Amino acid sequence: MPRPLLPQTIAALEREFTVHKLWEAKDPDAAMAQIAGLVRFIAAGAHAPVDEALIKALPKLELVANFGVGYDSVDAAAAARHGVVVTNTPDVLNEEVADVALGLLIATAREFPQADRYLREGKWLKSAYPLTRGTLRGRTLGIVGLGRIGKAIAKRAEAFGLKIAYHSRRRQADSPYAYYPTLLELAEAVDTLMLIVPGGAETRNMVNAEVLKALGPNGILINMARGTVVDEAALAEALASGQILAAGLDVFADEPNVPASLIGLANTVLLPHIGSASVHTREAMGQLLIDNLVSWRDGKGPLTPVPETPWPRA
Ligand code: NDP
């Protein structure tokens, strides 16, 4: 375990396995060298990347259990080449992340954090908070990535009266929403973009200056996916120049570092990657990570392998 998970998840893991807690070692490299020939599993997470060099350095490695549904910090293609299975934690966080997505959309459109600051600064005593230009009324939400979480977001957005469209690589035959084969076409058709695709090379900077321009002056961008999906410099520029109205971001390209250009803008709402971060949901994610490891150890295969390392093996 390169980085700590929840204390109760660590305790539960220790009842089943010998756990080497690398973050506790004075010299993590030396500790790693000592156990390299023994390690069968890695309990990985966003801040503990697993690259091909690490996979190669562990000859007995069988499975990388990733804490989180997004596993862009694990080189799953390399794992597949070396016969190592990768698991993630899908579904148990769908509702939690979708709640935050809608909360962030409303907070961004109706300026909740800005209004909260206004009150705390005593400005309300002098005058009412200015009317917001942003509203959910009449909006069309373009969901980028209509997967497990995207669908949970769509369900909530429908209840709020939003029209819904989506973009992903494939049209979903059973979906009632309008499909756009390219992100640019979707951005042209809607005024609100909700990003909830995986990170990684394929989606890097897919929201660029051209897409933001197409979104237009009433445009709101919400990023619940990964910071890498957005060209952050182009976004700061589009927000500062009024090319789009506002942005709500839960994720950033170089967490926990957030560009000063985004922090300095009045029309951004910035969250420290809290999509799944409740005790309830993080415990459920920890349990699914453990269940994968236990199932594998007991010879029953992984419960939630990622598509790159299917089970039974392709
Ligand atoms: P799913 O795999 O269920 O859905 C992903 C969706 O993205 C699919 O609809 C897929 O459709 C689409 N997609 C994948 N690649 C591309 C691409 N290159 N271009 C366009 N669309 C693409 O994943 P989940 O819904 O479970 O999770 C989605 C992501 O949300 C995670 O990978 C993670 O990055 C992020 N996340 C963020 C959290 C937070 O705290 N902010 C918490 C949890 C997840 P198709 O295959 O047809 O393209």
Side-chain angles (χ1 to χ4, degrees):
M1 187 181 292
R3 289 292 197 91
L5 298 175
L6 286 182
Q8 52 272 48
T9 306
I10 298 175
L13 268 175
E14 282 181 319
R15 287 195 287 275
E16 301 283 347
F17 303 96
T18 306
V19 181
H20 297 278
K21 302 174 198 162
L22 282 184
W23 73 93
E24 286 183 348
K26 279 205 188 76
D27 182 346
D29 289 340
M32 193 63 193
Q34 248 183 5
I35 60 169
L38 303 171
V39 173
R40 293 172 61 198
F41 314 120
I42 301 176
H47 298 294
V50 177
D51 58 14
E52 182 152 27
L54 178 58
I55 292 168
K56 274 180 159 167
L58 305 172
K60 294 232 168 81
L61 186 63
E62 297 166 26
L63 188 143
V64 177
N66 187 63
F67 183 82
V69 69
Y71 55 96
D72 44 309
S73 55
V74 176
D75 189 340
R81 284 197 295 277
H82 294 276
V84 172
V85 172
V86 178
T87 62
N88 63 348
T89 60
D91 289 318
V92 293
L93 41 60
N94 292 353
E95 307 302 324
E96 198 78 74
V97 180
D99 289 348
V100 175
L102 259 291
L104 184 53
L105 172 58
I106 298 170
T108 304
R110 298 300 318 284
E111 305 177 8
F112 285 178
Q114 297 91 326
D116 177 278
R117 288 197 289 272
Y118 188 89
L119 179 152
R120 287 170 200 265
E121 288 163 7
K123 293 180 179 166
W124 191 20
L125 297 168
K126 297 190 188 94
S127 59
Y129 188 76
L131 304 185
T132 62
R133 266 185 62 206
T135 173
L136 255 50
R137 301 306 101 225
R139 278 192 180 273
T140 304
L141 182 67
I143 300 179
V144 184
L146 191 68
R148 291 170 293 239
I149 303 171
K151 289 195 178 86
I153 292 173
K155 194 174 158 195
R156 284 161 176 72
E158 273 197 89
F160 277 93
L162 302 185
K163 287 207 274 309
I164 297 168
Y166 73 103
H167 161 68
S168 52
R169 290 166 300 184
R170 284 170 290 264
R171 180 195 294 272
Q172 297 186 27
D174 56 351
S175 170
Y177 312 125
Y179 172 73
Y180 291 85
T182 70
L183 175 54
L184 190 59
E185 285 169 277
L186 178 71
E188 276 162 0
V190 305
D191 50 26
T192 313
L193 280 181
M194 172 68 71
L195 311 180
I196 190 68
V197 278
E202 246 196 89
T203 56
R204 188 173 300 277
N205 287 344
M206 75 191 283
V207 176
N208 54 23
E210 196 185 8
V211 167
L212 293 167
K213 185 164 179 242
L215 196 56
N218 192 32
I220 295 182
L221 175 76
I222 304 296
N223 190 3
M224 290 301 300
R226 286 289 183 265
T228 52
V229 175
V230 176
D231 178 340
E232 288 179 336
L235 175 61
E237 177 61 35
L239 287 163
S241 65
Q243 202 166 58
I244 67 166
L245 182 66
L249 311 172
D250 185 44
V251 287
F252 303 89
D254 180 29
E255 296 173 5
N257 301 303
V258 177
S261 57
L262 291 173
I263 292 178
L265 290 167
N267 53 350
T268 54
V269 176
L270 310 175
L271 298 180
H273 200 151
I274 59 165
S276 67
S278 69
V279 173
H280 171 92
T281 293
R282 287 287 168 87
E283 278 182 358
M285 292 160 64
Q287 191 56 53
L288 183 51
L289 177 146
I290 295 169
D291 292 347
N292 267 293
L293 287 168
V294 168
S295 176
W296 175 271
R297 181 205 58 196
D298 294 347
K300 297 177 193 154
L303 299 177
T304 51
V306 303
E308 291 89 336
T309 62
W311 195 265
R313 290 185 207 276

